[in-house]
Amino acid sequence: MIYDGLRVVDLSTGIAGGYCSKLLTDLGADVVKLEPPDGDPLRAEKPRLFDYLHTSQRSVIGDWQPWVAGADVVIESFRPGVAEEMGFLGIAPVTVSISSFGRGGPDSERSLPEEVLQARSGSLSVHGHMGRTPLTVGGHLGEYITGAFAALGAVTAWYRASRNSSPEHVDVSMLEATQLTLAVVPTLMARFPGGMQRSFRWVMIPGNEPTNDGEYVGITTVTKQQWMSLLTCMGRDDLMGDDQLATMIGRFQRAKEVNELLRGWTGQHTADEIVELCAAERVPAAVVGNGELLPTFAQLAAREAFVDQPGESWRRPRAPFRCSAVADRVMTPAPALGANTGDTRLAVRRPQEIKPGPRVGERPFAGVRVLDFTAFWSGTFATAWLCALGADVIKVESIQRPDGIRFSSAVSPKQDPR
């Protein structure tokens, strides 16, 4: 595995720290879960979720000092200031601190649940119908996002700390992670020339549409070309000249009319038929999955995306990535509380040796060249991270089909941007 031999000590509780340690486990790290005597609260609240997050790890109850002293990476989610008082910052090469607000600022010592942090981030202002109660995003998505950023920060800091022999402290704010992902679009739009300085909620049309087999299909038409292509799918070339319908806001303003048009068409086909028709015209579309359907999807089944939970009777997602040069980690059951406490051999260990070679500067990826063939959000979000850390990123587009996000603007091209 990529990080075989890397020792991670997880002192955190909850989903964000757990997901951070899970991703590092998936990459091959040896993760020791250092728990309070009563265990991580997830053991009692959501035991299967705990097992999912802490598969292939060890559990220890006891003094933190020998474990932190032998760690390469430490993860903690105490109230800011506690780690400093305990004195373990700077002992391991990398310490990852997860909190509601991060270090510094008037609210840094406050701890708020994710739902409140979603409200503070502005996320509620953009989810749900205008004129109705705003909606939170479910599924603990903010906590998982925070855990993903924490893991990304951990491996990036380790890349530099392991070469420079100087400790790194990664400060992760759940508020900032949530704002950066769940509410970044309205924040940016409000600051562009001509952007709206007020809340504005709207629902994308088309979206998740019902089909005649009782399922739903998700259809996305962000660009004008995608909308035109969808009209071709529906056999409605007569609407090609309607410029208002060619925009997302325009369709929202005529929601009743457009929803009747869309659902009149989707109601005549199965979800699979609609996906096939849309694929032929390069319109993004997919059957909307759920816990029952997802393991049966042909693509996910072919890639073995769901596997048996070790020692249990239920199935779970495998690691969210695969590397061609290394096999997936062979998983072992999640540990019982304190199962490895008596194994003192685990604590007596020197951290990973510092890699030979030149020291890494302030931007650790300086000198790395990245070709970015992606479009819209996912890929470009990743390359933005690499660019911010010094990589030379070259974005590659075609003249015929440039990145559609280029046309996402706060103002109409016909308006004076001032």
Side-chain angles (χ1 to χ4, degrees):
M1 297 299 291
I2 297 174
Y3 287 105
D4 277 347
L6 187 76
R7 167 64 60 81
V8 177
V9 173
D10 181 6
L11 288 81
S12 72
T13 56
I15 294 174
Y19 192 59
C20 173
S21 71
K22 176 213 177 301
L23 293 175
L24 297 177
T25 302
D26 291 337
L27 289 168
D30 173 22
V31 178
V32 175
K33 176 77 173 165
L34 191 57
E35 302 188 67
D38 294 336
D40 188 316
L42 280 180
R43 286 186 179 272
E45 297 170 5
K46 299 179 176 65
R48 287 187 174 179
L49 180 55
F50 178 91
D51 288 353
Y52 165 69
L53 294 174
H54 298 287
T55 295
S56 304
Q57 297 182 11
R58 312 169 194 265
S59 173
V60 170
I61 299 172
D63 184 12
W64 60 266
Q65 291 178 313
W67 298 99
V68 170
D72 301 304
V73 177
V74 173
I75 306 167
E76 62 94 3
S77 60
F78 300 118
R79 174 181 55 79
V82 172
E84 290 85 345
E85 293 169 4
M86 294 173 66
F88 64 71
L89 286 185
I91 295 178
V94 175
T95 301
V96 179
S97 297
I98 301 172
S99 60
S100 294
F101 293 93
R103 264 68 175 170
D107 292 325
S108 62
E109 294 191 6
R110 299 187 66 185
S111 179
L112 296 177
E114 182 192 341
E115 293 79 5
V116 179
L117 291 172
Q118 284 192 30
R120 288 284 294 265
S121 75
S123 174
L124 268 65
S125 70
V126 293
H127 290 103
H129 289 267
M130 200 70 177
R132 299 184 186 177
T133 303
L135 303 175
T136 56
V137 177
H140 304 283
L141 187 58
E143 295 184 69
Y144 282 104
I145 289 168
T146 304
F149 275 117
L152 188 56
V155 296
T156 304
W158 170 250
Y159 179 84
R160 181 165 54 192
S162 63
R163 289 160 174 80
N164 290 359
S165 302
S166 57
E168 300 268 356
H169 185 199
V170 180
D171 180 15
V172 185
S173 160
M174 186 179 293
L175 174 69
E176 294 173 31
T178 302
Q179 198 284 323
L180 186 60
T181 48
L182 299 186
V184 69
V185 174
T187 304
L188 287 173
M189 291 298 188
R191 281 151 181 79
F192 289 159
M196 292 183 295
Q197 300 291 325
R198 59 184 176 81
S199 297
F200 179 73
R201 298 200 309 274
W202 60 286
V203 177
M204 289 184 66
I205 301 174
N208 296 332
E209 310 297 343
T211 61
N212 72 357
D213 56 352
E215 295 183 8
Y216 284 82
V217 62
I219 306 173
T220 299
T221 54
V222 175
T223 68
K224 179 178 180 180
Q225 181 58 55
Q226 289 169 343
W227 171 251
M228 296 298 185
S229 298
L230 181 60
L231 290 177
T232 299
C233 292
M234 294 190 294
R236 294 303 304 267
D237 291 355
D238 57 304
L239 297 175
M240 292 282 190
D242 193 324
D243 290 339
Q244 185 181 23
L245 292 185
T247 68
M248 291 188 288
I249 296 297
R251 292 192 292 275
F252 176 72
Q253 292 170 338
R254 293 163 62 180
K256 185 176 185 300
E257 171 192 349
V258 181
N259 281 330
E260 289 177 354
L261 168 71
L262 289 166
R263 291 165 189 175
W265 175 65
T266 61
Q268 299 174 21
H269 301 277
T270 67
D272 288 335
E273 288 171 347
I274 292 172
V275 169
E276 185 176 353
L277 290 168
C278 287
E281 296 295 332
R282 300 188 68 175
V283 178
V287 178
V288 177
N290 55 40
E292 181 180 5
L293 285 176
L294 283 173
T296 69
F297 283 3
Q299 176 70 18
L300 296 178
R303 286 176 53 81
E304 299 178 331
F306 288 86
V307 296
D308 292 332
Q309 170 69 15
E312 302 285 348
S313 60
W314 46 279
R315 291 178 66 77
R316 41 114 6 113
R318 59 163 171 78
F321 40 71
R322 275 183 164 172
C323 301
S324 60
V326 292
D328 289 354
R329 179 172 188 154
V330 177
M331 296 187 297
T332 58
L337 177 61
N340 307 101
T341 300
D343 195 345
T344 55
R345 295 171 300 167
L346 296 176
V348 182
R349 173 188 176 277
R350 289 178 58 83
Q352 288 273 289
E353 294 296 329
I354 303 302
K355 296 181 181 297
R359 289 173 60 85
V360 176
E362 181 180 354
R363 297 287 182 263
F365 298 145
V368 176
R369 174 163 291 178
V370 179
L371 289 182
D372 181 4
F373 291 92
T374 66
F376 288 94
W377 289 104
S378 300
T380 51
F381 199 77
T383 54
W385 174 276
L386 296 172
C387 183
L389 293 168
D392 176 19
V393 178
I394 301 172
K395 185 168 178 61
V396 182
E397 302 174 78
S398 69
I399 296 174
Q400 296 82 4
R401 192 177 288 270
D403 188 344
I405 207 67
R406 285 187 177 274
F407 309 106
S408 181
S409 174
V411 296
S412 168
K414 297 179 182 179
Q415 290 180 263
D416 184 342
R418 293 175 295 180

